[in-house]
Amino acid sequence: MKKTILFLLSGMTLLALSSCGSSKTLYSWYDYEDATYKYTKNPDEKRQERMMNQYAKVLQKQKGTRKTVQPGLYAEYGYMLVKAGKKEEGLELLNKEMELYPESKVYVSRIIEQLKK
């Protein structure tokens, strides 16, 4: 009886410990939050360049479980590219956002309309 209880307790302990491992996130963020915060707090050309590099890194190297970019990132990066003078590339990313996340179509299509004016 004691062996059975000991066996069950050790099995439960092993199960509990194995479930405590770190789980993989849905998306790879890298240093996106820090770069965005610093740019928003004090926007300048150097911080904007760093933030745009972070966008590019997140787009190129997705290691999250979904293997795709998080919602809104294509739109955010596309808008920044348009502001930086790269209109065609930016519009391409805005369209990619609507393709991947159809629920963003109403909002992103309005942004595109305003950018075309």
Side-chain angles (χ1 to χ4, degrees):
M1 180 76 167
K2 285 185 178 183
K3 286 183 181 181
T4 306
I5 292 174
L6 184 60
F7 179 74
L8 287 174
L9 284 175
S10 39
M12 288 172 47
T13 303
L14 183 62
L15 181 64
L17 289 175
S18 67
S19 67
C20 291
S22 64
S23 61
K24 200 170 182 182
T25 61
L26 288 177
Y27 307 104
S28 300
W29 292 91
Y30 300 101
D31 199 24
Y32 165 84
E33 296 94 344
D34 187 51
T36 304
Y37 173 77
K38 286 179 179 175
Y39 173 73
T40 305
K41 187 175 178 181
N42 189 8
D44 65 13
E45 201 170 301
K46 182 180 175 186
R47 285 188 177 95
Q48 181 181 5
E49 185 178 325
R50 181 169 180 253
M51 188 174 68
M52 303 258 299
N53 288 337
Q54 284 306 124
Y55 285 139
K57 183 177 181 180
V58 172
L59 292 179
Q60 293 169 0
K61 299 179 182 180
Q62 269 304 308
K63 294 181 182 177
T65 56
R66 290 209 51 219
K67 300 288 185 207
T68 188
V69 175
Q70 52 271 31
L73 195 73
Y74 277 115
E76 199 172 326
Y77 187 34
Y79 184 73
M80 291 298 294
L81 286 171
V82 170
K83 283 177 55 176
K86 299 177 181 179
K87 189 173 182 177
E88 291 303 315
E89 191 178 343
L91 290 173
E92 208 174 289
L93 290 177
L94 287 164
N95 286 314
K96 180 85 171 178
E97 176 75 27
M98 289 189 298
E99 180 185 317
L100 281 176
Y101 300 103
E103 63 274 12
S104 69
K105 188 172 186 171
V106 172
Y107 181 69
V108 175
S109 62
R110 287 182 186 169
I111 293 172
I112 291 172
E113 284 176 33
Q114 292 204 346
L115 291 173
K116 288 183 177 179
K117 289 182 182 179

